[in-house]
Amino acid sequence: MSPRKKPAGSPPPADLFAIEALHHRVDGRVVLDVPQLRLRTGDVTGLIGPNGSGKSTMVRFIARQALPDTGRILFDGCKIAEFKGRDLARRLAYLPQTPPTTDGMTTRELVGLGRYPWHGALGRPGPADRAAIDRAIALTETGDFANRPVDHLSGGERQRVWLAMLIAQEARCLVLDEPTSALDVAHQAAMLHLVRRLSHELGLSVIIVLHDINMAARICDRLVALRGGRIVADGPADAIMQSETLQAIYGIPMGILRQPETGAPIGYVA
Amino acid sequence: MSRSVAPTSRIALFRRANPALLCWAGLFAVALAVFATASVLRLGDLSPRFSESFLAYGLLPRGAFALLAGAALGLSGALLQRVLRNPAADASTLGIGSGAQLALGAATLFFPALLAEGRFLVAFLGGSGALLVVLALARLREYDPVTTVLCGLVVSLVCGALSATLILYGGDYMLSLHLWGGGTISQSGWRDSSLLFGALIAAILAALLLSRPLTLLGLSDESARGLGAGVGLVRLSVIAIATGLAATVTAAVGIIGFIGLMAANLARLSGARTVNAQLLAAPLMGAVLLFATDAAVLLFETLTTTSLATGAVTALLGGPLLLWLLPRLAHRAGPALSVPVRDIAHRRLALALLLAAIPAAFVLSLVLKPAMDGILLDLAAIEALSPLRWPRLLAGASAGAMLALAGTLLQRLTGNPVASPEVLGISSGAGLGLAVLLLFAPFAGTGPAFAATFAGSLLSLAAILVFARAAGLGPERLLLGGIAVASLAGAGVTLVMARGGPEASRLLDWMSGSTARVGPGLALAEAAILLVLLPLALLAHRWLSLLALGTPTARGLGLSPERAGSALITLAAVLTAAATLAVGPLSFVGLMAPHLARVAGFRRPADQLLAAPLIGALLMIVTDTAARSLAFPYQLPTGLFAALLGGPYLVVMISRQRR
């Protein structure tokens, strides 16, 4: 197994992402206007905001699914537009909001596709590839249905399989676009805790779009809130979970409760 | 859609001085002038007595019929587009015309008495039958517009193949009937016009009665149902009206391509926003369009003393509109049509058996007696027959394998099991190349004919790629480019066919896919091309797995969907072009073989890419043997014979999907 822990003591080389003067319009309407944003390596960063705030557009730019009209996006210190396709995929793994149907593929086959950036169209999958697949399946606890078609699994199981594919990709950075939007509360919590745990165990950076502010506050080191294409709040969860801040983000009066056991903040609509 | 239309006005188109309306009036005036000029020129040379009756029973009914048929097709198109929420729906894109024509051909040949009594009923049954198949196929993808048009094209092609078989079977008599099928609006009396007039009035009244539920259907089935509209009944009656109109026109004058498509879209672009406005504007615009086209055709015919099929000319006009429209269709990325998920038990063994079956079938076919009633035991006879048999067998098998590969690539790329090489437009382009050659040199030899078909394929491939690049690439876009090119080239071929003469029968012969004239040179060339391209296709299996997961995921894994998609489509096109040279444009082996491979359990791309060409080659060997033996001493054309299997296969496929 390759070393996955963060090298202790040595500081992270640079910002994971450095975004400058990002500006994007669709049909003449400004959907994203971000003068500056830096994301740190190793953080679990949550992108939050109301519908139409630009968070999905933002995450698509971060994963280079699309390029903005203007602006500079540096990933690992290099311009993201200049990465070769497979080279970027070895460093950054992306889960779209609605994962596609999988055409009868089994879990193991789908997870195996995560190795494509490493062996390419023609290369023969070697022991390292098989080891990565086994490890990803073990980490996400998807071994029980490794040989079953993904389309036949439940929603929660399927999301775990997709996460396993991302893990098998062995990228240091995961970009997840609302990975819990189709799941019930229990499976949302399980999925997000899995993401959190993997991030810590493997030292991964995670950028995650979330709808539920309370879930986001629980698992993210840092929250970046967008509204109307602009960043309106940015900071650790505790700093964001204030009633004035939440009101600025969502545009309705909101209050904060404390969870009885842990004292963790919970936002509610006042 | 125009923003200036006030939302409150119900028939806004007619409330205001609409510039579009002025344009239409102007076009109609010009068309009237052209029609009058052509009529005067026509009548000038005739004796006064005859010219009077020619005007009363020839020219005037023709003008009237053009107006009425245009209105009927316009209304039919507007209704179909509304009810299917598909701006590319039209009697010709949904296969109604081809179905009606097939039914009329079959009735002419087998039940001539039926034709005299109820030709309109026959056309209606044929048209609705074809539409039913299209809708049954498209239903699995929730009537996604692109899928629906794709299914319509495939069904049209199958119907066309069946019609061609009837023509070959029926001889010259049927060929002249087919020429009529090109959509020549010449009239001899008022009978058709008065009949169509009655049908049109009835249809307009019925449509206006249904206009309110139709408005609800514009939303979604769920919302319409929620608002209390009987979705199924409304849809059924509207489709019946539209089919009836289109079938009536087809029964009278043959297929008039794309008038409904043009009329309904132009109506929307001219500002007809509400259902009522569209139901009134589309027939008017259809009438003007067809009348103007026919007037121009009439003038052209008078000046050059040749004949042109108006229906094919409208298809040539509508083709570019389809080209423009297709990339703009909202593509509902529905669930991929699922094929049974199961793995074959002994994959390697099954592949080995398939591989072994090919030489066995090949040898068996070589030594069979001519009428398949035993095996040639005489070495001399085998030696005498082999040189006649092996080239066409080898060419057929190679072509079958290549079509199967192309079909596998296309079906995997688009996640759509109805995609087949025929819909790429490559084969239609090849046909157009041949048609153009024959137009200038009706008796050109085999060599120039091959050159022309190959040039046609390459040109259509280039057209698809250019079109797709402009529309943003991606496999879906490429397929749309193929559909548009297929429609355009098909219209061109019909135009040449409808001229009659030796070039028509030469074209028909090629379209039927006869392998009788394949020589050793071509056979070896086909095999060589297969051996070069097969490994290339096999190398693509991982791309196919990734692309099946959709653009974002494929890109996330480091594959450029645009680049991989274009590379694979180009490969499929070259495979198709090469195969078309040997077995003609229609065989549907590229539809059946990949599907059979999947149903058999070769689920993963790599397995399917191995199994499908084996099955395709085997299919072609069997088909070729049957085609040369079943009607011995006559030979059936191999390509058409294979296509005849493709039609029923489509139907079986639907019933399997229905579970």
Side-chain angles (χ1 to χ4, degrees):
Chain A
M1 200 187 291
S2 52
R4 281 283 155 211
K5 293 279 176 205
K6 265 188 242 183
S10 66
D15 288 328
L16 178 70
F17 271 97
I19 295 172
E20 269 158 32
L22 179 68
H23 198 82
H24 190 70
R25 287 166 184 270
V26 174
D27 294 334
R29 198 172 55 89
V30 177
V31 290
L32 215 51
D33 180 17
V34 176
Q36 199 182 42
L37 177 67
R38 286 173 192 280
L39 302 179
R40 273 205 339 219
T41 308
D43 272 359
V44 176
T45 309
L47 285 177
I48 57 171
N51 290 336
S53 59
K55 56 189 190 305
S56 275
T57 313
M58 184 74 174
V59 86
R60 279 170 50 77
F61 291 151
I62 283 176
R64 207 186 65 179
Q65 289 285 322
L67 293 176
D69 291 345
T70 57
R72 227 158 65 110
I73 301 181
L74 297 184
F75 171 63
D76 273 355
C78 306
K79 283 187 187 156
I80 195 164
E82 286 170 6
F83 278 94
K84 289 230 176 355
R86 275 167 53 198
D87 191 24
L88 183 67
R90 288 180 194 184
R91 299 160 184 243
L92 184 152
Y94 171 66
L95 182 64
Q97 190 169 357
T98 41
T101 54
T102 44
D103 202 23
M105 246 179 262
T106 64
T107 297
R108 206 183 156 80
E109 283 167 1
L110 181 63
V111 176
L113 290 184
R115 298 305 297 165
Y116 178 82
W118 298 91
H119 57 52
L122 309 179
R124 222 180 135 72
D129 293 305
R130 274 192 291 280
I133 295 169
D134 289 336
R135 199 167 56 95
I137 288 179
L139 282 169
T140 52
E141 294 167 11
T142 45
D144 288 347
F145 33 87
N147 293 316
R148 281 184 29 209
V150 178
D151 288 333
H152 292 188
L153 303 179
S154 75
E157 291 168 337
R158 207 176 305 151
Q159 277 309 59
R160 259 159 57 213
V161 172
W162 281 99
L163 193 59
M165 188 191 93
L166 264 61
I167 300 293
Q169 214 170 321
E170 291 192 318
R172 305 304 313 274
C173 171
L174 305 187
V175 179
L176 314 172
D177 191 356
E178 296 207 24
T180 56
S181 56
L183 303 181
D184 62 46
V185 176
H187 284 99
Q188 281 186 26
M191 175 80 186
L192 292 177
H193 281 127
L194 180 61
V195 170
R196 175 89 206 163
R197 202 190 74 205
L198 291 173
S199 144
H200 277 246
E201 282 176 12
L202 307 177
L204 305 177
S205 316
V206 177
I207 296 161
I208 184 166
V209 175
L210 283 173
H211 223 78
D212 185 329
I213 178 77
N214 293 318
M215 287 283 184
R218 276 179 65 178
I219 71 145
C220 296
D221 301 315
R222 173 184 173 193
L223 293 179
V224 176
L226 286 161
R227 180 176 167 84
R230 285 167 218 278
I231 295 176
V232 290
D234 180 0
D238 278 338
I240 301 292
M241 294 301 281
Q242 307 291 337
S243 58
E244 312 83 63
T245 316
L246 291 185
Q247 189 164 338
I249 297 171
Y250 290 101
I252 51 167
M254 289 189 70
I256 295 290
L257 285 175
R258 293 282 160 188
Q259 196 189 343
E261 291 97 47
T262 61
I266 298 172
Y268 64 92
V269 176
Chain B
M1 235 173 278
S2 155
R3 290 264 165 81
S4 64
V5 175
T8 46
S9 61
R10 291 191 56 184
I11 306 175
L13 182 62
F14 304 102
R15 284 266 165 95
R16 307 189 164 194
N18 185 325
L21 207 57
L22 290 177
C23 289
W24 285 101
L27 178 60
F28 186 55
V30 171
L32 269 179
V34 171
F35 187 76
T37 315
S39 302
V40 169
L41 286 175
R42 274 255 164 134
L43 296 172
D45 306 338
L46 302 173
S47 69
R49 288 283 292 282
F50 182 62
S51 73
E52 207 167 275
S53 51
F54 185 52
L55 181 68
Y57 296 104
L59 289 175
L60 289 182
R62 176 172 176 161
F65 189 86
L67 283 169
L68 289 170
L73 292 172
L75 181 59
S76 158
L79 288 173
L80 286 172
Q81 295 190 6
R82 191 76 202 176
V83 84
L84 296 175
R85 293 193 281 274
N86 181 352
D90 170 59
S92 29
T93 53
L94 295 182
I96 298 177
S98 324
Q101 198 173 34
L102 173 62
L104 288 169
T108 314
L109 211 53
F110 302 116
F111 311 101
L114 195 67
L115 214 56
E117 295 301 317
R119 72 181 292 124
F120 294 100
L121 186 66
V122 169
F124 178 73
L125 289 179
S128 38
L131 181 61
L132 266 181
V133 174
V134 172
L135 292 182
L137 282 169
R139 202 182 76 114
L140 306 163
R141 275 240 182 137
E142 289 148 24
Y143 306 108
D144 161 54
V146 175
T147 308
T148 312
V149 173
L150 188 64
C151 297
L153 183 65
V154 171
V155 169
S156 293
L157 288 172
V158 172
C159 288
L162 291 171
S163 293
T165 317
L166 292 180
I167 293 171
L168 285 173
Y169 179 79
D172 288 346
Y173 162 62
M174 284 296 286
L175 182 57
S176 56
L177 263 178
H178 186 77
L179 302 186
W180 149 85
T184 311
I185 311 185
S186 44
Q187 294 287 304
S188 54
W190 291 91
R191 207 180 61 99
D192 285 347
S193 303
S194 44
L195 213 143
L196 188 56
F197 183 69
L200 186 60
I201 294 296
I204 288 180
L205 288 178
L208 288 181
L209 279 178
L210 285 169
S211 74
R212 218 170 273 164
L214 261 180
T215 312
L216 295 184
L217 272 188
L219 305 168
S220 74
D221 284 7
E222 288 79 16
S223 341
R225 214 171 278 131
L227 291 165
V231 173
L233 190 65
V234 173
R235 179 168 281 147
L236 193 68
S237 13
V238 171
I239 286 179
I241 297 170
T243 311
L245 284 173
T248 310
V249 174
T250 309
V253 296
I255 297 178
I256 309 271
F258 294 137
I259 282 289
L261 180 78
M262 289 192 276
N265 278 294
L266 291 174
R268 261 198 301 276
L269 287 175
S270 310
R273 197 179 44 80
T274 63
V275 173
N276 276 344
Q278 282 165 16
L279 291 186
L280 283 174
L284 288 177
M285 289 170 185
V288 173
L289 274 177
L290 186 54
F291 181 73
T293 312
D294 192 49
V297 167
L298 188 68
L299 187 64
F300 181 82
E301 286 177 336
T302 312
L303 293 179
T304 60
T305 62
T306 50
S307 72
L308 268 184
T310 309
V313 175
T314 61
L316 278 182
L317 292 177
L321 175 67
L322 196 63
L323 214 62
W324 178 83
L325 194 63
L326 281 174
R328 285 165 182 76
L329 291 185
H331 188 55
R332 295 199 275 277
L337 296 184
S338 63
V339 184
V341 181
R342 78 191 174 82
D343 280 307
I344 196 159
H346 304 285
R347 205 161 43 85
R348 298 234 163 109
L349 182 67
L351 282 175
L353 282 179
L354 270 177
L355 189 60
I358 287 175
F362 199 97
V363 170
L364 184 66
S365 173
L366 278 183
V367 301
L368 272 179
K369 279 188 182 170
M372 274 207 307
D373 50 359
I375 288 176
L376 289 171
L377 298 170
D378 180 2
L379 205 63
I382 296 178
E383 228 170 286
L385 280 175
S386 286
L388 295 175
R389 286 179 170 178
W390 76 258
R392 56 183 285 179
L393 274 174
L394 182 60
S398 312
M402 286 194 273
L403 287 173
L405 273 178
T408 310
L409 293 177
L410 289 175
Q411 292 180 8
R412 285 272 175 183
L413 271 177
T414 57
N416 190 330
V418 191
S420 77
E422 279 82 3
V423 305
L424 256 190
I426 307 289
S427 357
S428 316
L432 189 61
L434 185 62
V436 170
L437 173 75
L438 294 178
L439 201 58
F440 294 107
F443 302 102
T446 323
F450 277 139
T453 43
F454 200 65
S457 325
L458 288 187
L459 267 180
S460 53
L461 169 61
I464 295 167
L465 289 177
V466 166
F467 166 82
R469 194 165 287 275
L473 285 167
E476 237 6 285
R477 298 270 176 257
L478 285 157
L479 195 62
L480 293 177
I483 296 176
V485 168
S487 309
L488 260 178
V493 171
T494 312
L495 208 56
V496 176
M497 277 275 260
R499 289 165 49 89
E503 62 264 33
S505 41
R506 277 287 295 277
L507 262 179
L508 197 63
D509 185 50
W510 177 75
M511 280 167 72
S512 67
S514 164
T515 49
R517 283 194 221 115
V518 171
L522 180 65
L524 291 174
E526 292 281 327
I529 297 173
L530 171 66
L531 288 182
V532 173
L533 296 183
L534 179 71
L536 282 183
L538 290 177
L539 289 181
H541 76 271
R542 250 175 236 155
W543 282 4
L544 289 178
S545 298
L546 253 57
L547 289 171
L549 297 178
T551 307
T553 310
R555 200 177 282 148
L557 288 168
L559 179 69
S560 159
E562 291 84 5
R563 217 172 298 157
S566 342
L568 292 181
I569 271 252
T570 309
L571 180 58
V574 174
L575 283 164
T576 311
T580 305
L581 289 182
V583 295
L586 280 174
S587 64
F588 288 108
V589 169
L591 178 73
M592 290 185 282
H595 218 259
L596 286 172
R598 258 202 111 155
V599 171
F602 294 103
R603 181 179 54 81
R604 296 184 307 172
D607 297 338
Q608 199 189 4
L609 282 173
L610 281 171
L614 294 176
I615 293 175
L618 209 53
L619 265 178
M620 271 316 224
I621 292 178
V622 173
T623 315
D624 192 58
T625 310
R628 76 163 192 242
S629 318
L630 278 185
F632 185 79
Y634 301 104
Q635 304 222 340
L636 303 172
T638 309
L640 256 192
F641 195 69
L644 290 185
L645 295 176
Y649 188 85
L650 263 183
V651 178
V652 172
M653 203 167 102
I654 299 166
S655 50
R656 285 184 72 95
Q657 297 275 355
R658 270 282 166 82
R659 277 173 303 130

